[in-house]
Amino acid sequence: MSLLELEDVTTGYNDVSVLHDVTLAVDRNEAVGVIGPNGAGKSTVFKTIMGYLEPWSGTVRYGGEAIDDAKPSERVKLGIGYVPQRENVFPKMTVRENLRMGAYTLDSETYEGRIQELFDLFPRLEERADQKVRTMSGGEQKMVAIARAMVTNPDLVLFDEPSAGLMPKYISEIFERIADIQRERETAFLIIEQNVPIVLEHTDRTYALRNGSVVADRESSQFVEQDDLGELYLGGSTGGD
Ligand SMILES: Nc1ncnc2c1ncn2[C@@H]1O[C@H](COP(=O)(O)OP(=O)(O)OP(=O)(O)O)[C@@H](O)[C@H]1O
């Protein structure tokens, strides 16, 4: 049984459908990428998983149970973490205060233990625990955003464009931390990326979306070997494989 499953999900905004029969799964401790051109529906997939959008048809299951009726906050309690692409930190607050904001569902004893575990995972954040986040580098701010999503000890983290706005060396560092988290916490990741080579290098499997449909679902290494990425991205292929 997969940790997360979307089965034949169709949804959209107002009366315009954006996703068409999207079927997607993430197993425990798996890193899965979602790629596709602008407007393909990647963020819409995330909004549907978090419960900000309801499926018009189809189902979202987590741990084998349908969660279509669960509010976003209930999905966080079930174990789904989310790192949005923008506005993912509180810039005027310190690192510690940002982590506290991620912990609103925890009692204070659990929270203190959790924070120490996170500081062990992100030593640079412990050194800067009392620094205001807006004074930190882009890479460090992204570390804060990941750590904040990890406070509730999720089994699955949705990560919207880890590489956005970062220099290459920070991008590598972010993906190394994701790999550390996977290794140490057995957390699964579902990652939207515009930086296709990076996501294919760092994930086990990847879905390609185009016009709201899944046009390919393969082991990430297979995308590189099959050499049809340009075609999938720019059009020409309409079927799955
Ligand atoms: N709140 C909204 N109201 C109406 N339409 C929307 C809304 N959000 C997204 N859309 C539309 O849904 C489609 C898919 O958008 P989505 O943001 O999911 O794509 P994306 O693949 O994440 O794109 P990008 O890579 O540019 O972020 C687009 O046509 C977009 O205009």
Side-chain angles (χ1 to χ4, degrees), residues 54 75 90-91 101 107 117 120 122 132 135 156 167 177 183 190 208:
E54 274 182 34
R75 297 183 194 211
F90 296 96
M101 296 299 285
D107 62 60
E117 285 171 28
D120 293 344
F122 297 97
K132 293 244 191 307
T135 66
L156 170 69
M167 282 159 45
R177 280 297 84 71
R183 204 169 33 245
L190 185 63

Side-chain angles (χ1 to χ4, degrees), residues 14-28:
N14 307 314
D15 54 356
V16 180
S17 62
V18 168
L19 300 184
H20 312 285
D21 292 326
V22 168
T23 292
L24 171 156
V26 182
D27 288 340
R28 284 188 189 276

Side-chain angles (χ1 to χ4, degrees), residues 17-92:
S17 62
V18 168
L19 300 184
H20 312 285
D21 292 326
V22 168
T23 292
L24 171 156
V26 182
D27 288 340
R28 284 188 189 276
N29 202 14
E30 196 181 24
V32 176
V34 181
I35 59 173
N38 292 124
K42 305 180 295 295
S43 302
T44 304
V45 169
F46 273 21
K47 287 182 213 165
T48 310
I49 297 169
M50 286 314 296
Y52 298 119
L53 267 185
E54 274 182 34
W56 296 351
S57 61
T59 298
V60 179
R61 278 192 288 271
Y62 188 73
E65 305 277 331
I67 56 168
D68 299 304
D69 295 332
K71 291 195 237 70
S73 59
E74 291 168 333
R75 297 183 194 211
V76 172
K77 281 191 192 154
L78 286 173
I80 308 178
Y82 182 29
V83 188
Q85 190 185 142
R86 293 182 207 88
E87 291 162 19
N88 52 21
V89 289
F90 296 96
K92 291 184 186 161

Side-chain angles (χ1 to χ4, degrees), residues 119-138:
F119 282 155
D120 293 344
L121 207 54
F122 297 97
R124 189 129 44 111
L125 296 187
E126 183 164 27
E127 286 164 22
R128 296 169 183 274
D130 298 311
Q131 186 171 337
K132 293 244 191 307
V133 167
R134 74 174 139 75
T135 66
M136 298 171 82
S137 75

Side-chain angles (χ1 to χ4, degrees), residues 202-220:
H202 291 281
T203 53
D204 304 304
R205 236 162 19 88
T206 293
Y207 289 87
L209 274 187
R210 192 152 52 79
N211 295 332
S213 296
V214 173
V215 290
D217 159 20
R218 302 181 193 148
E219 286 185 16
S220 300

Side-chain angles (χ1 to χ4, degrees), residues 84-189:
Q85 190 185 142
R86 293 182 207 88
E87 291 162 19
N88 52 21
V89 289
F90 296 96
K92 291 184 186 161
M93 294 184 179
T94 65
V95 171
R96 202 185 292 279
E97 286 164 349
N98 265 272
L99 298 183
R100 176 90 227 164
M101 296 299 285
Y104 62 95
T105 56
L106 303 181
D107 62 60
S108 60
E109 201 177 320
T110 313
Y111 162 77
E112 290 302 336
R114 200 61 59 71
I115 294 299
Q116 196 48 54
E117 285 171 28
L118 285 171
F119 282 155
D120 293 344
L121 207 54
F122 297 97
R124 189 129 44 111
L125 296 187
E126 183 164 27
E127 286 164 22
R128 296 169 183 274
D130 298 311
Q131 186 171 337
K132 293 244 191 307
V133 167
R134 74 174 139 75
T135 66
M136 298 171 82
S137 75
E140 288 166 351
Q141 292 193 17
K142 204 147 276 197
M143 297 286 180
V144 174
I146 308 176
R148 196 154 72 86
M150 296 301 301
V151 171
T152 52
N153 209 9
D155 292 315
L156 170 69
V157 174
L158 312 182
F159 204 152
D160 195 344
E161 286 223 46
S163 77
L166 294 185
M167 282 159 45
K169 85 171 186 186
Y170 289 119
I171 296 174
S172 304
E173 202 180 329
I174 293 286
F175 277 95
E176 279 163 26
R177 280 297 84 71
I178 291 173
D180 291 344
I181 294 169
Q182 265 192 289
R183 204 169 33 245
E184 292 180 23
R185 313 279 284 264
E186 303 198 335
T187 312
F189 281 86

